[in-house]
Amino acid sequence: AQKITQTQPGMFVQEKEAVTLDCTYDTSDPSYGLFWYKQPSSGEMIFLIYQGSYDQQNATEGRYSLNFQKARKSANLVISASQLGDSAMYFCAMRPYAGGTSYGKLTFGQGTILTVHP
Amino acid sequence: EPEVTQTPSHQVTQMGQEVILRCVPISNHLYFYWYRQILGQKVEFLVSFYNNEISEKSEIFDDQFSVERPDGSNFTLKIRSTKLEDSAMYFCASRPLTGTYEQYFGPGTRLTVT
């Protein structure tokens, strides 16, 4: 079974500053994928960034980067230069190895509400 | 850019009634999913669908739930006899055969059972 833990129910950051959202995971799969999704107040789920367990480098997508520490089983999201529009709920998610009998279902954490102050 | 669509955006129904939530996945995607999110809680996996059959389901997905791909474009979730605790946001998602296995989510259907 897979488990995702997000220990920060809420985070606050000043506009233009960087913020780190924590995510730890637990799995027995040798291969897996880690995702971050953003959910604004309107409710949709927006994909932000992906990290494969065998990727040598940490993933980056614009202002988003994923600080992947495999030995610690952590996959923290770093948002640089925060903007007011970044205020939303952020979910960390994991999928098992998508070969074999697994069809890639996502397991989500509880989420972190990020509030960006002007 | 192609996107997953869902209808209706909001459905209100009475306890015991049947509801059908509809989704149109991205056209070249082969894997389809339903998730639900009870208000203020995390997103939970319900079921995955591949090659016209259920490939995996969670313990939430009991006999009251069913999924169908009635034609080449729609993907539906049916709840036969709704309960108050079925009130939630229901998300459809799809993904292609290969790649990063990113799932593309629809905007969701908010189901309210009264």
Side-chain angles (χ1 to χ4, degrees), chain A residues 39-74:
Chain A
Q39 187 178 42
S41 57
S42 51
E44 72 268 32
M45 297 288 286
I46 303 168
F47 166 75
L48 295 178
I49 196 167
Y50 166 81
Q51 178 84 43
S53 60
Y54 284 106
D55 292 343
Q56 294 298 314
Q57 294 189 333
N58 286 343
T60 60
E61 288 285 349
R63 294 186 298 112
Y64 304 107
S65 60
L66 201 152
N67 184 2
F68 180 48
Q69 298 189 48
K70 195 170 182 177
R72 293 185 175 184
K73 294 189 174 180
S74 73

Side-chain angles (χ1 to χ4, degrees), chain B residues 38-105:
Chain B
I38 295 171
L39 186 64
Q41 299 187 23
K42 67 179 179 180
V43 179
E44 300 174 291
F45 168 77
L46 290 178
V47 66
S48 59
F49 192 87
Y50 171 70
N51 202 25
N52 285 319
E53 60 182 22
I54 290 174
S55 48
E56 192 173 4
K57 61 182 181 180
S58 73
E59 60 275 9
I60 301 169
F61 194 88
D62 61 22
D63 292 343
Q64 293 297 316
F65 292 88
S66 62
V67 289
E68 196 177 38
R69 188 153 163 84
D71 51 43
S73 59
N74 290 284
F75 179 50
T76 63
L77 174 70
K78 182 193 292 186
I79 309 175
R80 288 189 186 79
S81 178
T82 50
K83 303 187 280 285
L84 294 175
E85 53 265 36
D86 293 327
S87 295
M89 180 76 95
Y90 288 81
F91 291 102
C92 173
S94 68
R95 71 169 177 91
L97 182 64
T98 59
T100 63
Y101 307 105
E102 172 198 342
Q103 293 180 21
Y104 295 77
F105 280 74

